[in-house]
Amino acid sequence: MEYLIGIQGPDFVLVAADNVAASSIIQMKHDYDKMFKLSEKILLLCVGEAGDTVQFAEYIQKNVQLYKMRNGYELSPAAAANFTRKNLADYLRSRTPYHVNLLLAGYDETDGPGLYYMDHLSALAKAPFAAHGYGAFLTLSILDRYYRPDLTREEAVDLLKKCLEELNKRFILNLPSFTVRLIDKDGIHDMEKLPVVPK
Amino acid sequence: MALQDVCGFLETFDDISPCTYQPNEMGYMWRTPFEFDRDSAFHFVSPPQQFRRKNRAPNLFSSTFSSLSPHQPFQLSHGTTTLGFIFQDGVIAAADTRASCKGLICCPISQKIMPIHSHLVVNTSGSGADCMLWERILTREMRLYQLRHRKRLSVNGAAKLLSMMLHPFKGTNVCVAATLCGWDGEETQATLKSCMEITDVKEAVEQDSNASTISDESAQGSVKMASINEQAEISKDTQALNPTVSDQNTNNVLSTLGRRSGPRVCYVCSDGLQLKGEIISVGSGSPYAYAVLDDGWRWGMTVDEAVALAREAVFRATHWDAYSGNNVDLFHITAHGWRRRDREDLKEEYYREREREKKKIKEREKERQKREGDELVEGEAYSVHCG
């Protein structure tokens, strides 16, 4: 039902998430933001079971901010991803596991851009491109074909648009709009919502 | 409950890490003050099943609950229609009054909209007992917050609080879907003026009675509890009610949401979903209500239009949905507080509508005949002219 996608370039990460908040068959909100800002250069995209997403993502968010307050410097994306994975894994075999699928995207001064794929069983993988949801079945092969490690920003956005076109064409559910954000050395940038809504 | 918290009753009762909610033998939830537990990953309690007490087996509680849990006949539950939406002059909260239990109407005159304080009402759906309990818990928490911090908690804050309190019960059979409808106010710096302003508030509140009755609690509540807030809200209100030039709904809504005071509607569900929005409808009749609301909602509606829209939406939903019906309750919340419209029986509305339709059909018939008559006349004139 929900869809997340991330594409890593040589010096940026492009991420997008759909904007639908649904409750059984009703779209209760069509401008819902599924991205959580962990720090100036790290975004956490979170989908899954209704309450678990916000609870877990906000917990991670506050803890990352606490780390910065305590130690004076921010967690790197790799450290944040592993911290998230550890928490998810700890809760996995408790009585209250969190059923969430995550993408963590960030830019590190030394290591450069990073995209981390994490699923509800707390499997963590650093990947050049990744997607979550039923839409992933339709779009991963497009990413396979057209992804190159040296994509420019415009090419990455075009690749994203190709994926969303495929979703509109073949996915049974209507996902009318997507929030798109780009992370690079200057921080997190909001980009135009896709598909472009005609006024 | 509030006094018990302030006194710290039951604080020393349990010997393990402090929990927010503990069930006792009778299954009631007693609350101990929030305490941040650094060891637990989440600062709120684990679900009741994990709570161990010396004199009870830990499994007993969960098994008792599961044997008493109602068997849901189908997935789309919450047999009701409630709705809430914001517009330029406040918030409208409306709901039907039917409480059903499978195929039986348990109560045709239940009240699903409960005021929490002078500027917040909550529409509830889900299981009736859970809703009543959680309304009271929320009321208590809001009051405690107000006493401790000397200002009212915002609607979004109340929604977050309720969501956090319900989270430990996720996965159990607690079923609460609440829509918090209210007006966020701002604090004022001038407290000395409040004495003079109290009289102004009373006059303003009295002037506001058009067709609906102001409940005494609301008037007194506005004056007593939040006189300081009222004064700031009214001054902001007069600025806010100047008609904004832009017609686009989004701009107006965004500007209101950006300001710290204004109408708010927020949905909280026991499975954890929490949404802020402009139009929220919950329940088995909500799809029908959404259809009417999406069609007629504009930010710049007048109060009468908004009330009519809400009534129509609930009426249509009760017509199609078997689990909604009987009467419609309507609340209107502004910066001055909430006002309640008289409860209205929808059965009469149905017959009135049929009468209106009959009249309309007759009128259309007359018009059509008149038009045909005119055409005939014109046709003859034409033929005379030609011939």
Side-chain angles (χ1 to χ4, degrees):
Chain A
M1 309 286 185
E2 303 172 292
Y3 182 66
L4 299 177
I5 182 173
I7 302 173
Q8 181 197 323
D11 58 350
F12 66 91
V13 189
L14 183 70
V15 288
D18 72 292
N19 284 335
V20 170
S23 171
S24 80
I25 58 165
I26 305 274
Q27 264 190 34
M28 292 201 81
K29 230 174 126 92
H30 4 262
D31 54 358
Y32 187 66
D33 193 2
K34 301 187 186 183
M35 302 194 195
F36 296 84
K37 184 174 153 188
L38 297 191
S39 74
E40 287 308 311
K41 294 184 190 159
I42 309 181
L43 268 182
L44 180 69
L45 286 75
C46 192
V47 292
E49 207 177 312
D52 289 351
T53 50
V54 176
Q55 284 285 136
F56 186 72
E58 285 195 345
Y59 170 66
I60 300 292
Q61 188 181 42
K62 301 313 171 198
N63 270 288
V64 170
Q65 286 166 3
L66 180 64
Y67 184 93
K68 183 182 176 188
M69 281 182 221
R70 279 191 178 143
N71 302 298
Y73 58 90
E74 288 181 342
L75 271 175
S76 68
N82 279 291
F83 171 71
T84 310
R85 190 213 67 81
K86 177 83 170 63
N87 272 288
L88 201 52
D90 284 340
Y91 274 93
L92 188 61
R93 283 171 204 250
S94 73
R95 256 174 268 226
T96 55
Y98 284 93
H99 193 108
V100 291
N101 292 316
L102 309 166
L103 281 183
L104 196 142
Y107 188 91
D108 193 20
E109 301 297 315
T110 44
D111 299 330
L115 177 67
Y116 295 88
Y117 169 99
M118 205 176 323
D119 74 355
H120 65 279
L121 298 171
S122 72
L124 174 67
K126 187 172 192 299
F129 56 86
H132 273 300
Y134 286 119
F137 290 100
L138 296 165
T139 52
L140 279 173
S141 44
I142 298 177
L143 289 166
D144 256 339
R145 285 187 72 194
Y146 294 106
Y147 177 80
R148 289 185 332 271
D150 57 351
L151 283 174
T152 65
R153 285 173 170 75
E154 291 76 23
E155 285 170 357
V157 174
D158 283 337
L159 182 52
L160 178 64
K161 281 187 186 162
K162 265 206 193 71
C163 293
L164 299 184
E165 269 167 29
E166 180 64 20
L167 276 188
N168 280 331
K169 193 167 173 213
R170 289 288 181 186
F171 191 38
I172 196 178
L173 293 185
N174 179 33
L175 295 174
S177 77
F178 294 81
T179 311
V180 183
R181 292 206 165 101
L182 187 128
I183 311 177
D184 63 6
K185 63 173 170 46
D186 300 321
I188 302 173
H189 310 284
D190 286 343
M191 300 185 67
E192 195 180 33
K193 273 195 183 175
L194 292 177
V196 180
V197 178
K199 299 258 158 109
Chain B
M1 283 201 275
L3 185 59
Q4 169 201 324
D5 273 312
V6 170
C7 298
F9 182 61
L10 282 188
E11 187 171 355
T12 54
F13 200 86
D14 61 326
D15 45 349
I16 51 176
S17 58
C19 292
T20 320
Y21 288 96
Q22 332 162 18
N24 65 14
E25 290 82 3
M26 291 182 281
Y28 295 131
M29 302 292 155
W30 293 109
R31 186 187 169 277
T32 56
F34 279 142
E35 274 184 81
F36 287 103
D37 178 18
R38 296 218 176 82
D39 297 328
S40 87
F42 283 79
H43 296 171
F44 300 95
V45 75
S46 44
Q49 286 95 329
Q50 294 184 10
F51 179 77
R52 276 165 182 67
R53 300 214 1 182
K54 289 185 218 163
N55 51 354
R56 245 161 23 112
N59 290 332
L60 180 63
F61 186 77
S62 53
S63 65
T64 319
F65 251 50
S66 57
S67 64
L68 290 176
S69 66
H71 178 63
Q72 308 265 349
F74 47 77
Q75 274 304 94
L76 189 63
S77 61
H78 307 330
T80 183
T81 307
T82 69
L83 59 94
F85 61 87
I86 60 174
F87 65 111
Q88 53 90 9
D89 200 11
V91 194
I92 297 280
D96 72 311
T97 60
R98 176 175 291 183
S100 55
C101 177
K102 288 196 188 168
L104 171 72
I105 298 176
C106 294
C107 179
I109 49 169
S110 62
Q111 190 182 6
K112 300 188 189 183
I113 313 184
M114 300 294 293
I116 301 277
H117 59 64
S118 61
H119 288 70
L120 181 64
V121 304
V122 59
N123 295 357
T124 49
S125 73
S127 88
D130 285 332
C131 290
M132 278 183 210
L133 173 69
W134 285 99
E135 266 160 7
R136 292 197 68 200
I137 291 176
L138 182 65
T139 311
R140 180 192 64 185
E141 291 305 319
M142 303 281 292
R143 184 75 181 130
L144 280 173
Y145 184 93
Q146 189 180 359
L147 289 169
R148 286 180 182 141
H149 298 93
R150 272 184 261 127
K151 65 172 181 179
R152 275 205 306 267
L153 190 55
S154 66
V155 176
N156 290 337
K160 198 78 188 163
L161 184 63
L162 185 60
S163 178
M164 288 285 173
M165 289 196 288
L166 283 171
H167 182 72
F169 297 94
K170 190 177 157 108
T172 65
N173 273 309
V174 172
C175 182
V176 175
T179 310
L180 296 168
C181 311
W183 186 283
D184 276 348
E186 262 199 2
E187 293 311 310
T188 176
Q189 50 277 48
T191 56
L192 295 173
K193 284 195 268 177
S194 61
C195 305
M196 303 220 317
E197 255 67 26
I198 289 177
T199 48
D200 291 349
V201 168
K202 271 203 187 120
E203 285 167 11
V205 161
E206 281 158 14
Q207 277 166 17
D208 268 338
S209 56
N210 328 345
S212 32
T213 56
I214 305 174
S215 84
D216 287 338
E217 298 156 323
S218 137
Q220 284 168 15
S222 324
V223 170
K224 278 189 216 162
M225 243 188 349
S227 56
I228 297 171
N229 300 337
E230 290 300 334
Q231 188 259 109
E233 278 153 9
I234 288 170
S235 61
K236 277 209 179 316
D237 210 23
T238 45
Q239 291 165 18
L241 283 181
N242 287 331
T244 50
V245 180
S246 166
D247 272 334
Q248 289 176 9
N249 290 339
T250 347
N251 285 352
N252 294 336
V253 171
L254 281 176
S255 64
T256 308
L257 293 178
R259 288 207 308 266
R260 281 174 49 204
S261 78
R264 302 272 186 269
V265 121
C266 206
Y267 170 66
V268 181
C269 186
S270 55
D271 64 7
L273 188 62
Q274 189 202 341
L275 297 172
K276 309 178 244 273
E278 293 108 45
I279 306 176
I280 305 271
S281 176
V282 183
S284 52
S286 66
Y288 313 108
Y290 266 121
V292 176
L293 289 171
D294 284 335
D295 189 40
W297 182 83
R298 284 173 305 111
W299 174 258
M301 286 192 292
T302 63
V303 177
D304 290 333
E305 283 173 1
V307 167
L309 184 69
R311 258 179 88 247
E312 173 98 20
V314 176
F315 171 59
R316 298 284 167 213
T318 56
H319 180 57
W320 287 108
D321 182 31
Y323 295 91
S324 312
N326 296 105
N327 308 314
V328 59
D329 277 335
L330 218 140
F331 278 64
H332 176 213
I333 303 119
T334 58
H336 307 309
W338 56 260
R339 289 201 321 246
R340 183 186 179 161
R341 217 176 123 89
D342 286 336
R343 178 171 276 191
E344 193 183 338
D345 192 343
L346 289 174
K347 186 173 56 183
E348 275 129 49
E349 176 65 24
Y350 176 66
Y351 291 115
R352 277 199 295 260
E353 204 197 7
R354 282 180 58 173
E355 291 302 311
R356 282 199 295 263
E357 286 299 315
K358 275 190 206 158
K359 268 194 227 152
K360 266 193 213 157
I361 292 173
K362 279 192 198 140
E363 280 170 23
R364 278 203 288 261
E365 187 64 37
K366 271 190 224 156
E367 272 178 34
R368 203 175 23 189
Q369 283 172 358
K370 213 178 91 177
R371 232 182 317 130
E372 282 169 13
D374 285 343
E375 279 168 17
L376 268 173
V377 168
E378 280 172 22
E380 284 169 9
Y382 181 70
S383 59
V384 162
H385 181 75
C386 288

